[in-house]
Amino acid sequence: MMSGTYNRIMTMTVLSSHSGGGDPPRDTPDISLVKLISTLMDHKWTIMLTVVVFMLAGYFYASSQPRIYQSDTLIQIESRGSTLGLLETLAVGEQGSNSTTAELEILRSRMVMGETVDRLDLAIQIEPVRLPLVGDFLVNHGFTREQMEGLKLGWLVEWLAPDDQAGNGQGSPYVWAGESLRVSRFDVPVHREGASHVVRVLDDQHFELLLDDEQVLAGRVEETIQDEATGYRLFISQLDAHPGATFWLRRVSHLDAIGLLQGRFSTLPRGEESGVYQALLSGPDPERIVHVLDTITGVFLSQNVQRQSEEAEKQIAFLDEQIPQVNVQLTDAENSLNDYRAQRDSVDLTFETENLLRSLVAVDNQLSELALAEADLAERFRPTHPNYQALLRKRAQLGEEKARLEAEVNNLPETQQEVLRLTRDTQVNQQIYVQLLNQRQEMRLVKAGTVGNVRILDPAVLQKATIAPRIGLLTLGSGLLGALLAIVGVILKLAFNRAIETPDQLEALGLPVYAIVPVSVGQGKLSQLLRRRKKDGVNIFRGLLAQTHPEEPSVEALRGLRTSLHFAMLEASDNRLVITGSSPGAGKSFVAANLAAVYAQAGQRVLLVDADMRKGYLHHAFQQHGDKGLSELLATRIELEEAIRPSGIEGLDFIARGMVPPNPSELLMQHTFEDFLQRTSQLYDLVILDTPPVMAVTDAVIVGKQAGSCLMVVRYGLNPPREIEVAKRRLEHAGVRVRGAVLNATEYSSSSSYSYYNVYAYR
C-alpha cells in the first residue's frame, strides 16, 4: 500500500524522431487551428478587458454627442399637372410622375429653403462653451451647476481647465444643463460672417459681446443693441445662465445656412405611387425643428398655390387676346354665307352634304383647339418636349382626316361646295368663339379658387425618441471593434512570435531538455513584494519558492531536474554546475537558487555563488545584503570563511556578488577565481554558479570554462531559437560543455492535451 500525497510531473518528452537529429529550427512555428483557438482562450481575459474598455469608451463618446431630435409631417402631391384648360387632354398621360418629382425638387430647392432661412433667421448659430473632455457627457446626463457644486466637483473643473476660469469675480465660463441663450436678431458686417463671437453673461439681465477678447457690444436682455458705425445689431430674447457663462455666437452666410438646412431635411415616400410623402427635419433643438418644418411646408404650399394662380392668369390673358380675333372671323363668315344665299335664292344642303359638313366642322374645331394649345406650349416648351411632340402628332392625324374630307367635297356640285364651305366657316368660328368664352370663364373661376396640387395632411410633430446618437448601438459596435482588435492583436502576436515554445525546438538545436518548469504563481507573489525596487528593469525577488511553496509544480519540476543532473554529472570532471541564459529575464537566478535549495533539502551540502558581479541580486532571495561577496573575495580583501554565508536552509550556503567592481571579467580570469573553485569543490557536494547572460558580457564564458557542467535556461515565449543557437555556439567555441537546457516559465495552454507536460496528483 502507498500512502501520502505524491505529485509527479512529466518533466520532458523526448521523441525518437529527435534523437538522431531533425529538421533545422524555425523561428516561427506553424499555426494550426487548435493552436489559434488555444491562444485565444489563453488571452480571453485580455480580450474581455479590451472589449470592456472599448465599450466604456464607446458609451462615453456616444453620450458626449449632442442629442438629435426629428420632426415629421405628411405632404400629398397630386399627380395632375399644372397645365390648365386646353392642354389637360394632352398632358394627362405625360405629366404624372414628372410633376411629382418636380414638386419634390422644388420642396428641397433654395427658393423654399432660402425663404425659410429668411423668415426664421436660421443663419444665427449658438454654441455653449462646455467643460473640456467631459463637459458634454455631464450636460447630456443632466448635471447642473448647482449639482456640480453640491457634489463638490469643483476640483474636476480646476483639473481639466485650470487656466479657463473667468476673472474679476465672475464665475466659471462653462455652461451646464438647464442654461440657455435665445437670439432673435444678430447682424454683423459682411466681412464678419462666419466669425466666432463670444456672448458673456454679466448678470441675470446684462451681457457683453466679444470678438478676439475685445468688447463689441454690451447691453440688456430684450433690448436691441446696435452700433451703426460697425454694423453690429443684437437682440437677445432669452438668457438663463449664471454670471460668467459664455456662448459662441456666429452668423453664417445665407448660402451656408441654406446648405445646413438642406442637409437636415429629407423626404420619404409613403406607399407606392400614393403621392404621399413624409417630410423629416432633424436638429438638436426639439421645439425649433417643429417650427422650422412647419415653416418649410407653409412656404412650399404658398409658392405652389401662387404658381397655379399665375398660370391661370396667363391663360386668361391669352384667351382675352384670341376672343376678339375669333369674333371678327365669325362675323365675316356669317356675312359671307348670307350674301351667297341671297344671290342663289337660299340654296339648301343635301343630306350627304350636311354629314360631310358636320365632319369637317368637327375636324376644324379640333385643329383650332390644337392651334391655341400650340401657341401656349410654344411660350413654355421647346418643340422637342414630349407634350409638344404629342400635339404635333395629333395635328398631323387631323390634317390627314381633313384632306380626305376636302377631297370628297371637291366631288360635289359647285353650288353645294360653296354653301358647304361658307357654312363650315360659320359653324367652326361659332364653336370656337363659344368655347373660348367658356374657357375664359373657367379660368376666372380657377384663379378665384386656386388651391394648387399640394396638401399638408399633418402638422409637424416631434418624434418621441432621439435619432442620434444611438448609444446602445455605438456601445455594442465599440465592444465588437475592441474584440476584433484584441483578436487581431493576439493573432499577429502569434504569427510574428519567434520565441521558443516547445522542447522540440530546443532538441532541434542540439540541447536536450532536462526540465520543463511551469510558470509559478507563488514566485510571482514573492516578486511582487519588491516590485517597486527595480534595478535596470529586473524585478528582484525575496524568498525561495522551494522553501515557501514546496508543493508547487515548479518546485517539483526542479526536483526532477535534480534527479536528471545527478546521473548526468556522474561523468563530469568536477561537481561545479553553471546556470546561465542567453539574455536577461530568462529566470536563471530563480532556477539556480531553487535548484540549490532542493539539492540541500535532499541532504547534500551545496554552495550557491552569485557570479554576476555586475547586476546580481541573489542576496535578496535570502534577505541579506550584497557586499562582502565574490568581488571582495577575488580581490583578496576578505577571506573565504567571511564570504560564505548561511542561507537559513540546512546544507545550503551562498556567496553574494559583492560590491560592483570596475573590472568583473578581469577578476574572473585571475588565478584566485580558480583557487576559489577548487577549495569550495572540496568543501561541498555541489557548487552552483549563477552567471550573467551569455549574449550580454563574456563573464559566463569565463566562468563556464571552470565548471564541468553547464545548463542554459530558456524562457518560454521570450528567447528566439536563433538567439539560443548563437549563445550555445559562443559557449562551445570557448570550450564550455553545455549539457542541456531548462525550459522555464511555461504557461498553461487551453490545448493542454497537446502540451509537453502534465500534472498528475493521487492519494
Side-chain angles (χ1 to χ4, degrees):
M1 296 289 295
M2 298 183 63
S3 60
T5 301
Y6 298 86
N7 292 326
R8 180 174 70 82
I9 297 183
M10 184 169 63
T11 59
M12 64 178 180
T13 302
V14 182
L15 302 177
S16 59
S17 60
H18 294 287
S19 60
D23 297 332
R26 292 176 295 178
D27 286 348
T28 304
D30 293 335
I31 300 177
S32 63
L33 180 60
V34 173
K35 185 174 183 179
L36 177 60
I37 297 176
S38 170
T39 304
L40 293 177
M41 291 299 296
D42 293 339
H43 293 81
K44 59 180 180 295
W45 294 114
T46 301
I47 295 174
M48 292 178 63
L49 179 61
T50 305
V51 170
V52 171
V53 171
F54 269 75
M55 290 184 69
L56 291 176
Y59 175 78
F60 177 80
Y61 172 78
S63 299
S64 300
Q65 300 304 306
R67 300 291 187 264
I68 303 300
Y69 301 86
Q70 189 174 67
S71 61
D72 67 326
T73 184
L74 287 182
I75 299 175
Q76 181 187 15
I77 301 176
E78 297 179 357
S79 59
R80 68 177 178 86
S82 60
T83 305
L84 300 172
L86 300 175
L87 300 182
E88 288 188 4
T89 57
L90 296 174
V92 66
E94 300 281 349
Q95 200 162 339
S97 60
N98 292 337
S99 175
T100 302
T101 304
E103 293 295 341
L104 290 177
E105 291 301 323
I106 293 173
L107 177 60
R108 292 187 288 264
S109 67
R110 287 196 295 267
M111 177 181 65
V112 175
M113 297 297 174
E115 187 171 346
T116 303
V117 169
D118 292 337
R119 287 187 182 183
L120 303 179
D121 207 355
L122 299 181
I124 300 175
Q125 295 182 348
I126 304 173
E127 180 183 351
V129 177
R130 303 293 192 197
L131 182 68
L133 299 179
V134 299
D136 291 325
F137 179 84
L138 295 174
V139 170
N140 289 341
H141 285 77
F143 277 84
T144 64
R145 180 168 172 266
E146 291 74 15
Q147 289 176 331
M148 293 290 293
E149 294 176 351
L151 295 174
K152 300 185 183 303
L153 294 178
W155 61 269
L156 180 63
V157 179
E158 291 284 352
W159 180 62
L160 291 175
D163 300 328
D164 288 344
Q165 295 297 317
N168 301 324
Q170 295 179 351
S172 168
Y174 306 115
V175 179
W176 299 97
E179 298 180 327
S180 61
L181 171 69
R182 294 282 184 182
V183 178
S184 300
R185 184 171 184 177
F186 182 46
D187 297 334
V188 300
V190 177
H191 65 281
R192 294 298 186 185
E193 287 186 349
S196 296
H197 299 74
V198 174
V199 174
R200 178 178 296 164
V201 180
L202 301 179
D203 54 37
D204 293 342
Q205 295 295 323
H206 294 84
F207 63 89
E208 63 177 346
L209 179 69
L210 306 175
L211 178 63
D212 298 332
D213 295 330
E214 294 183 2
Q215 188 182 83
V216 178
L217 295 174
R220 184 182 179 88
V221 179
E222 297 183 350
E223 291 183 0
T224 300
I225 311 300
Q226 62 182 351
D227 186 347
E228 297 293 345
T230 59
Y232 278 96
R233 181 174 298 175
L234 176 63
F235 181 84
I236 294 180
S237 58
Q238 179 183 346
L239 178 60
D240 185 9
H242 68 274
T246 57
F247 298 82
W248 293 109
L249 182 61
R250 306 179 187 89
R251 182 173 187 85
V252 299
S253 65
H254 186 261
L255 188 60
D256 290 340
I258 293 174
L260 293 173
L261 182 59
Q262 289 175 332
R264 298 188 289 118
F265 181 78
S266 61
T267 55
L268 295 175
R270 297 290 296 269
E272 294 185 2
E273 299 181 359
S274 65
V276 178
Y277 293 85
Q278 183 182 25
L280 304 169
L281 182 67
S282 59
D285 191 334
E287 297 179 0
R288 189 169 180 81
I289 60 174
V290 173
H291 184 40
V292 172
L293 185 57
D294 274 333
T295 304
I296 291 175
T297 54
V299 171
F300 176 56
L301 179 61
S302 298
Q303 67 83 29
N304 181 266
V305 173
Q306 182 180 0
R307 189 174 77 253
Q308 300 283 12
S309 178
E310 290 176 354
E311 192 163 347
E313 288 182 357
K314 291 182 179 180
Q315 288 283 352
I316 293 174
F318 175 75
L319 293 173
D320 288 341
E321 180 182 351
Q322 294 296 320
I323 287 175
Q325 299 177 9
V326 175
N327 187 23
V328 172
Q329 295 174 4
L330 175 59
T331 302
D332 293 342
E334 290 177 345
N335 292 335
S336 298
L337 177 61
N338 293 331
D339 292 343
Y340 188 79
R341 285 181 180 273
Q343 294 175 5
R344 298 293 182 176
D345 295 329
S346 184
V347 178
D348 294 329
L349 297 176
T350 64
F351 178 77
E352 291 80 2
T353 305
E354 289 183 353
N355 288 335
L356 188 59
L357 174 62
R358 282 193 294 269
S359 300
L360 279 171
V361 170
V363 171
D364 285 338
N365 285 335
Q366 294 182 41
L367 287 173
S368 299
E369 292 177 0
L370 292 180
L372 294 175
E374 183 179 4
D376 183 74
L377 283 178
E379 295 180 0
R380 296 186 292 124
F381 303 115
R382 293 184 178 181
T384 56
H385 191 272
N387 290 350
Y388 209 118
Q389 291 294 317
L391 184 145
L392 294 178
R393 287 194 296 269
K394 189 169 184 179
R395 190 177 67 178
Q397 294 174 359
L398 292 174
E400 294 176 358
E401 179 66 16
K402 180 178 180 180
R404 184 184 64 80
L405 294 175
E406 288 180 345
E408 294 182 6
V409 170
N410 293 332
N411 295 327
L412 295 175
E414 180 180 355
T415 304
Q416 292 290 317
Q417 290 184 23
E418 186 65 20
V419 173
L420 185 145
R421 181 181 65 80
L422 295 175
T423 306
R424 180 187 68 179
D425 292 342
T426 302
Q427 292 183 2
V428 168
N429 289 321
Q430 185 178 13
Q431 291 185 10
I432 292 175
Y433 182 74
V434 172
Q435 186 178 15
L436 290 178
L437 292 176
N438 292 335
Q439 188 69 28
R440 182 173 63 178
Q441 186 64 25
E442 179 183 348
M443 289 301 100
R444 289 174 177 174
L445 294 175
V446 168
K447 180 182 177 182
T450 299
V451 294
N453 64 328
V454 172
R455 278 200 303 165
I456 309 301
L457 302 181
D458 293 332
V461 294
L462 183 69
Q463 296 182 359
K464 295 182 179 179
T466 60
I467 62 170
R470 299 183 178 180
I471 298 178
L473 184 60
L474 284 175
T475 303
L476 179 60
S478 300
L480 294 177
L481 177 61
L484 178 62
L485 293 178
I487 292 173
V488 170
V490 171
I491 294 175
L492 291 177
K493 180 181 178 182
L494 179 63
F496 291 98
N497 183 21
R498 300 179 180 274
I500 296 291
E501 291 186 348
T502 64
D504 287 347
Q505 294 174 277
L506 293 174
E507 296 283 348
L509 294 172
L511 287 175
V513 180
Y514 276 73
I516 301 176
V517 182
V519 67
S520 171
V521 178
Q523 183 63 26
K525 294 179 180 179
L526 293 175
S527 298
Q528 287 177 359
L529 294 176
L530 291 176
R531 190 169 294 276
R532 296 178 183 176
R533 297 175 57 184
K534 292 187 177 181
K535 295 187 176 182
D536 297 335
V538 178
N539 288 332
I540 59 179
F541 62 93
R542 175 174 292 178
L544 294 177
L545 187 68
Q547 186 178 18
T548 59
H549 301 80
E551 300 301 324
E552 272 214 9
S554 301
V555 179
E556 193 63 32
L558 293 175
R559 293 192 184 103
L561 175 61
R562 177 189 64 190
T563 303
S564 301
L565 287 175
H566 173 74
F567 296 102
M569 294 182 64
L570 291 177
E571 54 186 35
S573 58
D574 52 47
N575 61 347
R576 304 164 196 163
L577 174 63
V578 170
I579 305 294
T580 188
S582 61
S583 60
K588 55 183 181 54
S589 298
F590 162 76
V591 173
N594 287 279
L595 180 62
V598 298
Y599 263 107
Q601 291 171 352
Q604 298 190 39
R605 299 185 69 252
V606 183
L607 176 64
L608 176 63
V609 181
D610 190 351
D612 186 357
M613 292 183 289
R614 303 171 187 266
K615 299 178 181 179
Y617 55 89
L618 274 177
H619 54 278
H620 290 290
F622 304 101
Q623 303 181 11
Q624 298 190 26
H625 54 82
D627 57 350
K628 294 184 179 181
L630 182 60
S631 61
E632 289 88 351
L633 178 62
L634 297 182
T636 65
R637 296 179 182 175
I638 61 174
E639 297 296 329
L640 179 62
E641 292 76 10
E642 189 177 357
I644 296 176
R645 308 177 193 176
S647 64
I649 300 177
E650 185 178 358
L652 175 60
D653 295 331
F654 85 99
I655 296 179
R657 72 180 186 192
M659 299 297 292
V660 179
N663 54 348
S665 300
E666 287 75 6
L667 285 178
L668 292 173
M669 295 179 66
Q670 295 179 4
H671 64 85
T672 53
F673 181 60
E674 184 178 355
D675 295 341
F676 158 71
L677 292 178
Q678 289 180 355
R679 290 183 59 189
T680 54
S681 296
Q682 296 173 1
L683 296 175
Y684 293 92
D685 299 324
L686 178 63
V687 178
I688 298 179
L689 298 102
D690 180 24
T691 71
V694 177
M695 303 296 293
V697 291
T698 62
D699 298 10
V701 176
I702 299 173
V703 176
K705 292 182 64 175
Q706 302 294 332
S709 301
C710 177
L711 279 182
M712 185 176 295
V713 178
V714 180
R715 190 175 185 88
Y716 173 91
L718 177 65
N719 301 120
R722 190 168 301 279
E723 180 184 295
I724 302 301
E725 184 180 13
V726 173
K728 175 176 175 290
R729 188 183 302 119
R730 182 174 296 183
L731 290 170
E732 290 177 344
H733 287 175
V736 179
R737 181 183 179 185
V738 183
R739 291 190 175 275
V742 176
L743 186 57
N744 183 36
T746 54
E747 299 178 359
Y748 171 78
S749 173
S750 299
S751 56
S752 57
S753 58
Y754 298 93
S755 53
Y756 286 84
Y757 66 92
N758 293 282
V759 179
Y760 302 93
Y762 57 94
R763 296 182 181 274

